[in-house]
Amino acid sequence: MKVTEHIEQSKGKTRFSFEILPPLKGQNIDSIFNNIDPLMEFNPPFIDVTYHREEYVYKELENGLLQKQVVKKRPGTVGICAAIQNKYNVDAIPHVLCGGFTKEDTENFLIDLDFLGIDNVMALRGDAVKSEIYFKPEKEGHQYASDLVDQIECLNHGKYLDEELQNSAPTDFCVGVAGYPEKHMEAPSLDSDIHFLKKKIKKGADYIVTQMFFDNQKYFEFVDKCRAEGITVPIIPGLKPISTKKQLNMIPHRFKVDLPDDLIMAVVNCKNNQQVREVGVEWCINQSKELITKGVPFLHYYSMGKSDNIKNIAKEIF
C-alpha cells in the first residue's frame, strides 16, 4: 500500500513509522529483525530502509604504493525490504539515491523493486563520497533529486530509457522526498531550499519526510513556508532521540541541525550516556506529543539500528 493511502486510511490519526540501517557487511539479517521485533507492537504501516553508497579505501601494496578500492560497507537494501515485507507484512520503503547510480542502474533498481511488489520509494540525492567535499554524480547519473523523481515518474507512465520498447508496463511507485526544516546544508537559504523542494513536488513526489529536528517550532515554520509556496503534500516529521554526549557536537556538524539550549544543558549535566539516553527519550516524547496535537500524519523515527529508546518513546505515545 502507498504511504498516501496509509495516511488516508488513518483518518487524521497520527501513525508510527521508523527507519533502519542495513547491517554492516558480514552480519546477518537477524540483527535487523532483533531491532524491528520490539517495535512491531506499535503497528508501523511502513519501515524505511536506507541505502549506503560506495566508499573509497586505499590499500597499501607490497611496493609501498596505494591502490584505490571501492567498497560497500552496508549492502542489502533491496533484500532487506523484501524480507521485511515477507516477515512482517508491512510496507518496506527503500531509499533510492542519485549518488553511485547511472540512469540505467536506477531503472534496473526500480524494476527489481516493482517485481518485488514494493509500492513506495524514497528519492534522495545522497551525500558526497566521504573522501570528496562536494557531491559528484555518475557520468550518466542524476545531479539532483528532482531529476531522480522525474525518472521514477516516467516509469510510472511506462516511459523507459529505451524509447523503442513496445507495450512497456508502467510502474506505480509512491514517491517520498526529503525536506529540511533548517535548510539543506548546501542551500544558501531556507527559502531557496523550499524552492527546489517545490520542484521535486512538481516532478511528481507524493510526500515529504523531514530531516531530524529538535525544536518543533522549526518544523511548524517550515510547514507554513511550504504551504505558502503551494506545497500541499503530506509533510511527515522525522525525529531522533539524542543518546550520547558525543552527539552534541556530531549532530550539528554532520547534519547542520541546531540543538535547543535547554536540551544541550540537560545533556551536559548528565553523568553518563545512560542519563543522556533518558534525557533524549523524554525530550523526544515531549516533541512527539506536541506534534500529535497539530495533527501530523506520521511520527517517523530515525532508529540508527537501535530500537530500545524508540520503543520507550512509542510506549508513551502510541
Side-chain angles (χ1 to χ4, degrees):
M1 187 182 294
K2 296 180 179 181
V3 169
T4 49
E5 293 173 333
H6 285 301
I7 292 173
E8 290 172 5
Q9 290 192 5
S10 297
K11 297 180 179 179
K13 181 181 178 181
T14 302
R15 304 288 301 275
F16 168 76
S17 64
F18 60 97
E19 177 182 294
I20 62 170
L21 308 176
L24 289 168
K25 184 179 289 187
Q27 297 179 359
N28 63 35
I29 201 167
D30 287 339
S31 63
I32 293 290
F33 294 154
N34 291 339
N35 281 296
I36 293 177
D37 287 344
L39 301 178
M40 292 310 296
E41 66 177 283
F42 308 109
N43 299 314
F46 64 83
I47 300 169
D48 272 42
V49 183
T50 62
Y51 188 96
H52 290 252
R53 63 175 303 181
E54 76 282 0
E55 297 180 26
Y56 298 142
V57 298
Y58 292 87
K59 182 179 180 181
E60 186 173 359
L61 303 177
E62 292 182 359
N63 59 10
L65 297 177
L66 297 177
Q67 183 182 56
K68 184 178 180 180
Q69 294 184 338
V70 179
V71 298
K72 285 192 175 181
K73 294 185 177 181
R74 293 184 181 271
T77 295
V78 176
I80 291 167
C81 285
I84 287 174
Q85 294 202 159
N86 180 64
K87 180 177 175 66
Y88 299 104
N89 196 30
V90 301
D91 286 301
I93 304 180
H95 290 193
V96 183
L97 306 183
C98 297
F101 283 77
T102 65
K103 294 173 187 177
E104 184 76 21
D105 292 335
T106 298
E107 183 171 276
N108 293 334
F109 188 78
L110 293 167
I111 289 170
D112 283 344
L113 298 179
D114 184 49
F115 287 169
L116 288 169
I118 290 172
D119 296 325
N120 307 274
V121 293
M122 191 72 182
L124 306 167
R125 190 200 71 176
D127 297 327
V129 175
K130 288 185 177 181
S131 58
E132 299 176 349
I133 298 175
Y134 299 108
F135 175 83
K136 184 165 57 177
E138 296 298 304
K139 185 176 180 181
E140 297 296 329
H142 295 302
Q143 174 78 50
Y144 302 109
S146 57
D147 298 325
L148 175 57
V149 172
D150 188 50
Q151 182 176 5
I152 298 168
E153 275 301 293
C154 283
L155 275 184
N156 280 348
H157 289 86
K159 298 178 183 177
Y160 289 71
L161 295 175
D162 183 355
E163 297 179 355
E164 295 182 2
L165 289 177
Q166 299 293 318
N167 301 316
S168 53
T171 56
D172 190 25
F173 292 113
C174 178
V175 184
V177 293
Y180 299 85
E182 299 175 63
K183 86 174 184 63
H184 189 276
M185 64 183 70
E186 296 175 18
S189 71
L190 180 57
D191 286 343
S192 68
D193 200 24
I194 291 176
H195 167 79
F196 289 107
L197 175 59
K198 186 176 180 179
K199 188 174 182 180
K200 290 188 280 189
I201 304 304
K202 285 184 174 180
K203 292 284 189 178
D206 299 290
Y207 68 97
I208 298 165
V209 180
T210 75
Q211 171 65 283
M212 71 180 74
F213 57 90
F214 297 87
D215 179 351
N216 284 354
Q217 191 58 35
K218 300 282 182 69
Y219 169 80
F220 298 139
E221 292 173 357
F222 173 72
V223 172
D224 287 344
K225 281 180 173 288
C226 287
R227 300 308 184 214
E229 287 296 315
I231 296 173
T232 60
V233 301
I235 302 176
I236 297 172
L239 300 175
K240 172 179 166 49
I242 196 166
S243 57
T244 67
K245 284 196 173 186
K246 182 180 179 181
Q247 289 175 345
L248 286 183
N249 302 111
M250 185 275 288
I251 288 175
H253 175 73
R254 174 68 179 81
F255 299 100
K256 303 298 185 286
V257 170
D258 289 335
L259 299 176
D261 288 335
D262 289 348
L263 176 59
I264 293 170
M265 293 313 301
V267 171
V268 168
N269 290 328
C270 290
K271 295 180 180 179
N272 52 52
N273 280 335
Q274 179 55 41
Q275 291 184 359
V276 174
R277 293 178 73 81
E278 293 170 3
V279 166
V281 166
E282 182 180 0
W283 188 275
C284 199
I285 287 172
N286 291 331
Q287 277 192 276
S288 300
K289 288 180 176 178
E290 183 181 24
L291 289 163
I292 287 175
T293 65
K294 300 297 184 179
V296 299
F298 273 84
L299 290 172
H300 187 70
Y301 297 93
Y302 297 113
S303 73
M304 307 302 287
K306 303 293 183 182
S307 62
D308 55 337
N309 53 356
I310 305 298
K311 182 176 181 179
N312 289 335
I313 295 163
K315 282 192 301 185
E316 293 294 322
I317 302 301
F318 299 97

Short mmCIF file of all heavy atoms in Angstrom, two decimals, residues 268-303:
data_model
loop_
_atom_site.label_atom_id
_atom_site.label_comp_id
_atom_site.label_asym_id
_atom_site.label_seq_id
_atom_site.Cartn_x
_atom_site.Cartn_y
_atom_site.Cartn_z
N VAL A 268 24.57 18.11 29.00
CA VAL A 268 25.84 18.46 29.64
C VAL A 268 25.85 18.05 31.11
O VAL A 268 26.86 17.59 31.65
CB VAL A 268 26.13 19.97 29.48
CG1 VAL A 268 27.28 20.40 30.39
CG2 VAL A 268 26.45 20.30 28.03
N ASN A 269 24.72 18.18 31.76
CA ASN A 269 24.63 17.87 33.20
C ASN A 269 24.50 16.39 33.49
O ASN A 269 24.50 15.98 34.66
CB ASN A 269 23.45 18.62 33.81
CG ASN A 269 23.69 20.12 33.88
OD1 ASN A 269 24.83 20.57 34.04
ND2 ASN A 269 22.63 20.91 33.77
N CYS A 270 24.39 15.56 32.46
CA CYS A 270 24.31 14.12 32.66
C CYS A 270 25.67 13.56 33.07
O CYS A 270 26.71 13.99 32.57
CB CYS A 270 23.83 13.42 31.38
SG CYS A 270 22.10 13.74 30.97
N LYS A 271 25.65 12.58 33.94
CA LYS A 271 26.90 11.98 34.41
C LYS A 271 27.40 10.88 33.48
O LYS A 271 28.60 10.57 33.47
CB LYS A 271 26.70 11.40 35.82
CG LYS A 271 26.41 12.46 36.88
CD LYS A 271 26.20 11.83 38.24
CE LYS A 271 25.90 12.89 39.30
NZ LYS A 271 25.68 12.29 40.64
N ASN A 272 26.52 10.29 32.70
CA ASN A 272 26.91 9.22 31.80
C ASN A 272 25.91 9.14 30.65
O ASN A 272 24.87 9.82 30.65
CB ASN A 272 26.99 7.87 32.54
CG ASN A 272 25.72 7.58 33.32
OD1 ASN A 272 24.61 7.63 32.78
ND2 ASN A 272 25.87 7.26 34.60
N ASN A 273 26.20 8.28 29.68
CA ASN A 273 25.35 8.20 28.49
C ASN A 273 24.00 7.56 28.78
O ASN A 273 23.04 7.78 28.03
CB ASN A 273 26.06 7.45 27.37
CG ASN A 273 27.06 8.34 26.65
OD1 ASN A 273 26.93 9.56 26.63
ND2 ASN A 273 28.06 7.73 26.03
N GLN A 274 23.90 6.77 29.85
CA GLN A 274 22.59 6.23 30.22
C GLN A 274 21.64 7.36 30.59
O GLN A 274 20.47 7.38 30.20
CB GLN A 274 22.70 5.24 31.38
CG GLN A 274 21.37 4.65 31.84
CD GLN A 274 20.59 3.99 30.72
OE1 GLN A 274 21.17 3.29 29.87
NE2 GLN A 274 19.27 4.19 30.69
N GLN A 275 22.17 8.34 31.34
CA GLN A 275 21.36 9.50 31.67
C GLN A 275 21.04 10.33 30.43
O GLN A 275 19.94 10.89 30.30
CB GLN A 275 22.07 10.36 32.72
CG GLN A 275 22.16 9.71 34.09
CD GLN A 275 22.80 10.63 35.12
OE1 GLN A 275 23.18 11.75 34.83
NE2 GLN A 275 22.90 10.13 36.36
N VAL A 276 22.00 10.40 29.49
CA VAL A 276 21.76 11.12 28.25
C VAL A 276 20.61 10.47 27.49
O VAL A 276 19.73 11.16 26.95
CB VAL A 276 23.02 11.15 27.36
CG1 VAL A 276 22.72 11.77 26.00
CG2 VAL A 276 24.14 11.93 28.05
N ARG A 277 20.59 9.14 27.44
CA ARG A 277 19.52 8.44 26.74
C ARG A 277 18.16 8.77 27.35
O ARG A 277 17.16 8.95 26.65
CB ARG A 277 19.76 6.93 26.76
CG ARG A 277 20.98 6.49 25.95
CD ARG A 277 21.20 5.00 26.05
NE ARG A 277 20.22 4.26 25.28
CZ ARG A 277 20.29 4.05 23.97
NH1 ARG A 277 21.29 4.55 23.28
NH2 ARG A 277 19.36 3.35 23.36
N GLU A 278 18.12 8.84 28.68
CA GLU A 278 16.87 9.16 29.35
C GLU A 278 16.41 10.58 29.01
O GLU A 278 15.22 10.82 28.77
CB GLU A 278 17.04 8.99 30.86
CG GLU A 278 17.26 7.54 31.28
CD GLU A 278 17.67 7.40 32.73
OE1 GLU A 278 17.72 8.43 33.44
OE2 GLU A 278 17.94 6.26 33.17
N VAL A 279 17.36 11.51 28.97
CA VAL A 279 17.04 12.88 28.57
C VAL A 279 16.53 12.91 27.14
O VAL A 279 15.54 13.58 26.81
CB VAL A 279 18.27 13.80 28.74
CG1 VAL A 279 18.06 15.13 28.01
CG2 VAL A 279 18.57 14.04 30.20
N GLY A 280 17.22 12.18 26.26
CA GLY A 280 16.83 12.16 24.85
C GLY A 280 15.45 11.58 24.64
O GLY A 280 14.65 12.09 23.83
N VAL A 281 15.12 10.52 25.37
CA VAL A 281 13.79 9.91 25.26
C VAL A 281 12.72 10.88 25.75
O VAL A 281 11.69 11.07 25.10
CB VAL A 281 13.74 8.59 26.06
CG1 VAL A 281 12.30 8.13 26.26
CG2 VAL A 281 14.55 7.51 25.34
N GLU A 282 12.96 11.51 26.90
CA GLU A 282 11.97 12.45 27.45
C GLU A 282 11.75 13.62 26.50
O GLU A 282 10.61 14.05 26.27
CB GLU A 282 12.44 12.95 28.81
CG GLU A 282 11.44 13.90 29.47
CD GLU A 282 11.90 14.40 30.83
OE1 GLU A 282 13.01 14.02 31.26
OE2 GLU A 282 11.16 15.17 31.46
N TRP A 283 12.84 14.15 25.93
CA TRP A 283 12.72 15.28 25.01
C TRP A 283 11.91 14.88 23.77
O TRP A 283 11.03 15.62 23.33
CB TRP A 283 14.11 15.77 24.59
CG TRP A 283 14.09 17.04 23.79
CD1 TRP A 283 13.91 17.17 22.45
CD2 TRP A 283 14.21 18.37 24.30
NE1 TRP A 283 13.92 18.48 22.07
CE2 TRP A 283 14.11 19.25 23.20
CE3 TRP A 283 14.41 18.90 25.57
CZ2 TRP A 283 14.21 20.63 23.33
CZ3 TRP A 283 14.51 20.28 25.71
CH2 TRP A 283 14.40 21.13 24.60
N CYS A 284 12.19 13.70 23.26
CA CYS A 284 11.52 13.23 22.06
C CYS A 284 10.04 12.92 22.34
O CYS A 284 9.18 13.14 21.48
CB CYS A 284 12.23 12.00 21.50
SG CYS A 284 11.85 11.65 19.77
N ILE A 285 9.73 12.43 23.51
CA ILE A 285 8.34 12.21 23.90
C ILE A 285 7.58 13.53 23.90
O ILE A 285 6.46 13.62 23.37
CB ILE A 285 8.25 11.54 25.29
CG1 ILE A 285 8.68 10.08 25.19
CG2 ILE A 285 6.84 11.64 25.86
CD1 ILE A 285 8.81 9.38 26.53
N ASN A 286 8.18 14.56 24.48
CA ASN A 286 7.52 15.86 24.52
C ASN A 286 7.34 16.44 23.11
O ASN A 286 6.29 17.03 22.80
CB ASN A 286 8.30 16.82 25.39
CG ASN A 286 8.24 16.45 26.87
OD1 ASN A 286 7.26 15.86 27.31
ND2 ASN A 286 9.28 16.79 27.63
N GLN A 287 8.38 16.27 22.27
CA GLN A 287 8.23 16.69 20.87
C GLN A 287 7.06 15.96 20.21
O GLN A 287 6.24 16.57 19.52
CB GLN A 287 9.51 16.36 20.09
CG GLN A 287 10.63 17.38 20.19
CD GLN A 287 11.70 17.10 19.16
OE1 GLN A 287 12.59 16.28 19.38
NE2 GLN A 287 11.62 17.77 18.02
N SER A 288 7.02 14.66 20.41
CA SER A 288 6.01 13.83 19.76
C SER A 288 4.60 14.24 20.19
O SER A 288 3.69 14.34 19.35
CB SER A 288 6.25 12.35 20.09
OG SER A 288 7.52 11.93 19.64
N LYS A 289 4.41 14.46 21.47
CA LYS A 289 3.09 14.82 21.97
C LYS A 289 2.61 16.14 21.36
O LYS A 289 1.44 16.28 20.97
CB LYS A 289 3.11 14.92 23.50
CG LYS A 289 3.22 13.57 24.19
CD LYS A 289 3.24 13.72 25.71
CE LYS A 289 3.25 12.37 26.41
NZ LYS A 289 3.30 12.52 27.89
N GLU A 290 3.51 17.12 21.27
CA GLU A 290 3.12 18.41 20.70
C GLU A 290 2.80 18.27 19.22
O GLU A 290 1.83 18.86 18.72
CB GLU A 290 4.22 19.44 20.90
CG GLU A 290 3.83 20.82 20.38
CD GLU A 290 4.92 21.87 20.55
OE1 GLU A 290 6.11 21.48 20.63
OE2 GLU A 290 4.59 23.06 20.57
N LEU A 291 3.58 17.48 18.51
CA LEU A 291 3.35 17.29 17.08
C LEU A 291 2.00 16.60 16.83
O LEU A 291 1.30 16.93 15.88
CB LEU A 291 4.49 16.49 16.46
CG LEU A 291 5.83 17.23 16.35
CD1 LEU A 291 6.97 16.24 16.12
CD2 LEU A 291 5.78 18.27 15.23
N ILE A 292 1.65 15.66 17.68
CA ILE A 292 0.36 14.98 17.53
C ILE A 292 -0.79 15.97 17.69
O ILE A 292 -1.79 15.89 16.96
CB ILE A 292 0.24 13.82 18.54
CG1 ILE A 292 1.16 12.66 18.11
CG2 ILE A 292 -1.20 13.33 18.65
CD1 ILE A 292 1.21 11.52 19.10
N THR A 293 -0.66 16.90 18.63
CA THR A 293 -1.74 17.89 18.81
C THR A 293 -1.94 18.75 17.58
O THR A 293 -3.01 19.33 17.38
CB THR A 293 -1.46 18.81 20.01
OG1 THR A 293 -0.29 19.61 19.75
CG2 THR A 293 -1.25 18.01 21.28
N LYS A 294 -0.92 18.82 16.72
CA LYS A 294 -1.01 19.61 15.48
C LYS A 294 -1.47 18.76 14.30
O LYS A 294 -1.55 19.25 13.17
CB LYS A 294 0.34 20.25 15.17
CG LYS A 294 0.85 21.20 16.25
CD LYS A 294 -0.08 22.41 16.43
CE LYS A 294 0.52 23.39 17.44
NZ LYS A 294 -0.36 24.58 17.61
N GLY A 295 -1.74 17.48 14.57
CA GLY A 295 -2.32 16.64 13.53
C GLY A 295 -1.37 16.12 12.48
O GLY A 295 -1.79 15.89 11.33
N VAL A 296 -0.09 15.90 12.83
CA VAL A 296 0.84 15.36 11.83
C VAL A 296 0.41 13.95 11.42
O VAL A 296 -0.14 13.20 12.24
CB VAL A 296 2.30 15.35 12.36
CG1 VAL A 296 2.76 16.76 12.68
CG2 VAL A 296 2.43 14.44 13.57
N PRO A 297 0.61 13.57 10.16
CA PRO A 297 0.11 12.26 9.70
C PRO A 297 0.88 11.07 10.28
O PRO A 297 0.29 10.03 10.56
CB PRO A 297 0.29 12.34 8.19
CG PRO A 297 1.36 13.36 7.97
CD PRO A 297 1.19 14.37 9.07
N PHE A 298 2.16 11.23 10.42
CA PHE A 298 3.03 10.20 10.99
C PHE A 298 4.06 10.85 11.89
O PHE A 298 4.39 12.04 11.73
CB PHE A 298 3.78 9.44 9.88
CG PHE A 298 3.04 8.28 9.29
CD1 PHE A 298 2.11 8.47 8.28
CD2 PHE A 298 3.27 6.99 9.75
CE1 PHE A 298 1.42 7.40 7.72
CE2 PHE A 298 2.59 5.92 9.20
CZ PHE A 298 1.66 6.12 8.19
N LEU A 299 4.56 10.08 12.83
CA LEU A 299 5.81 10.41 13.51
C LEU A 299 6.82 9.37 13.06
O LEU A 299 6.64 8.17 13.28
CB LEU A 299 5.63 10.38 15.04
CG LEU A 299 4.79 11.50 15.63
CD1 LEU A 299 4.53 11.25 17.11
CD2 LEU A 299 5.46 12.86 15.44
N HIS A 300 7.87 9.84 12.40
CA HIS A 300 8.84 8.94 11.76
C HIS A 300 10.16 9.05 12.53
O HIS A 300 10.75 10.13 12.62
CB HIS A 300 9.04 9.37 10.30
CG HIS A 300 9.89 8.43 9.51
ND1 HIS A 300 9.46 7.17 9.15
CD2 HIS A 300 11.14 8.56 8.99
CE1 HIS A 300 10.41 6.57 8.44
NE2 HIS A 300 11.43 7.40 8.34
N TYR A 301 10.60 7.94 13.10
CA TYR A 301 11.76 7.94 13.99
C TYR A 301 12.99 7.34 13.31
O TYR A 301 12.92 6.28 12.69
CB TYR A 301 11.45 7.16 15.27
CG TYR A 301 10.34 7.78 16.08
CD1 TYR A 301 9.02 7.37 15.91
CD2 TYR A 301 10.59 8.80 17.00
CE1 TYR A 301 7.99 7.94 16.64
CE2 TYR A 301 9.57 9.38 17.73
CZ TYR A 301 8.28 8.94 17.55
OH TYR A 301 7.25 9.53 18.28
N TYR A 302 14.11 8.03 13.47
CA TYR A 302 15.39 7.54 12.95
C TYR A 302 16.03 6.67 14.02
O TYR A 302 16.54 7.16 15.03
CB TYR A 302 16.29 8.72 12.58
CG TYR A 302 15.71 9.56 11.46
CD1 TYR A 302 15.28 10.87 11.69
CD2 TYR A 302 15.57 9.04 10.18
CE1 TYR A 302 14.74 11.63 10.66
CE2 TYR A 302 15.02 9.79 9.16
CZ TYR A 302 14.61 11.08 9.40
OH TYR A 302 14.05 11.83 8.39
N SER A 303 16.00 5.36 13.82
CA SER A 303 16.45 4.43 14.86
C SER A 303 17.96 4.23 14.85
O SER A 303 18.53 3.83 15.86
CB SER A 303 15.75 3.08 14.67
OG SER A 303 16.28 2.39 13.55
#
